[in-house]
Amino acid sequence: MPATPGVRERVERLLGSPVESVAGLGSSHAWTLHRASLAGGREVFVKAAPDQAGVFAAEAAGLRWLGEAGPGTPVPDVLAADDRMLVLPWLPSASPTRDAAERFGRELAALHTRARPDVYGAPWDGFIADLPLDNTLDDRGWPRWYAERRLEPFLRRAERHLSPDDVRLVERVIAGIEDLAGPPEPPSRIHGDLWSGNVQWTDGRAVLIDPAAHGGHRETDLAMMALFGTPYLDRILAAYDESAPLAEGWRDRVPLHQLHPLLVHVALFGGSYRDSAVEAARSALG
């Protein structure tokens, strides 16, 4: 697939290095994807768009912030970013393995429990896909933050695809959030959109890409991995729980944490995700 015109020149300006070739890899949402080969043989991954200042800035900020959790954090370096482009190292794909999954579980547990933020949210405007996320910083605790910054806004975005009864069901979850959220948890640095497509398996490990990073609840990342299926999820979770034991009843709260991404999917893709969102709300209520 041919690359978008101008990608080579912009990569060269951002990296200060000659580009030998650029290959198009398709598109995702409003941006195009590319693999660029630099002089000397180094390869990089490129996202490009006419104007995605907020999206690319949020992704770059999120990756850098997750990386601040310490050595071994499973995120790539940000090589360059501006309002039209994000450049990351090229990660060669590999098949997931049991050993890599267990390593990922331990590294994810470390990410969630080291260098915890003081509050929920993030000091930058967030995005999930190309939809805005309210990352307002808040120290009142996770339940109200999740209800007000995630569930309520995306219920309103999704409600044109929901029935009045569906809307009332999600509103019951929002109203009862304090009783549904489980034991209090301090904020964690979380990926925020950790479905299987955002886990890149490469060279004996898994690396997190495309984050909607913020200070959140660590169960959110685990629930998201279960939503659309992640290879060796049982091994990831076992290694995670051994490294950073989870609160009692966490499995029962999976639907609560899945409700937001399912409302996002309803907002993005319409009624095909309506049944899943409604079932998650119903299960969250018990």
Side-chain angles (χ1 to χ4, degrees):
M1 178 178 294
T4 300
V7 168
R8 177 196 296 262
E9 293 77 9
R10 197 166 192 88
V11 173
E12 289 181 335
R13 286 198 300 272
L14 286 175
L15 297 184
S17 175
V19 174
E20 294 183 348
S21 65
V22 179
L25 303 175
S27 61
S28 177
H29 302 289
W31 43 87
T32 56
L33 312 176
H34 310 268
R35 180 177 183 174
S37 297
L38 309 181
R42 185 184 186 190
E43 294 187 313
V44 297
F45 174 76
V46 180
K47 284 184 177 180
D51 183 5
Q52 288 291 310
V55 174
F56 292 161
E59 183 171 347
L63 288 171
R64 289 168 174 147
W65 181 73
L66 292 173
E68 290 171 3
T73 302
V75 294
D77 294 331
V78 176
L79 302 180
D82 67 5
D83 57 348
R84 298 183 182 181
M85 185 169 286
L86 176 70
V87 186
L88 306 175
W90 179 260
L91 300 174
S93 295
S95 296
T97 65
R98 178 188 177 101
D99 287 347
E102 291 176 352
R103 176 179 176 179
F104 179 48
R106 293 190 296 271
E107 291 181 339
L108 186 63
L111 168 62
H112 286 166
T113 55
R114 290 190 314 209
R116 290 180 182 267
D118 295 327
V119 295
Y120 297 92
W124 58 81
D125 294 332
F127 289 86
I128 188 164
D130 52 3
L131 296 179
L133 286 172
D134 183 352
N135 277 345
T136 299
L137 295 169
D138 196 326
D139 63 359
R140 292 178 299 160
W142 180 78
R144 293 315 315 167
W145 187 90
Y146 183 62
E148 295 173 8
R149 309 299 178 189
R150 293 296 183 262
L151 294 183
E152 176 68 26
F154 280 88
L155 173 59
R156 300 310 159 207
R157 283 183 174 272
E159 65 182 335
R160 67 186 184 279
H161 303 293
L162 303 173
S163 73
D165 285 344
D166 298 338
V167 172
R168 284 191 287 271
L169 182 67
V170 178
E171 288 174 340
R172 285 178 57 202
V173 175
I174 293 170
I177 191 72
E178 299 286 354
D179 295 327
L180 302 175
E185 282 258 351
S188 291
R189 295 178 192 243
I190 71 168
H191 178 282
D193 188 17
L194 196 52
W195 72 289
S196 60
N198 287 341
V199 179
Q200 175 72 42
W201 299 92
T202 178
D203 294 338
R205 69 184 308 209
V207 176
L208 305 176
I209 59 174
D210 295 345
H214 62 278
H217 197 305
R218 62 192 181 120
E219 291 176 12
T220 296
D221 275 351
L222 305 185
M224 189 67 178
M225 284 194 292
L227 186 55
F228 299 117
T230 298
Y232 293 102
L233 181 59
D234 59 334
R235 301 313 310 154
I236 296 171
L237 295 177
Y240 183 105
D241 194 38
E242 182 178 324
S243 299
L246 292 154
E248 184 177 353
W250 72 270
R251 292 184 185 276
D252 295 332
R253 293 185 292 275
V254 165
L256 175 65
H257 290 269
Q258 291 179 340
L259 182 54
H260 169 246
L262 285 168
L263 289 173
V264 171
H265 277 70
V266 175
L268 284 170
F269 305 115
S272 60
Y273 285 94
R274 175 260 170 197
D275 289 351
S276 296
V278 169
E279 180 57 32
R282 189 174 290 119
S283 296
L285 288 167

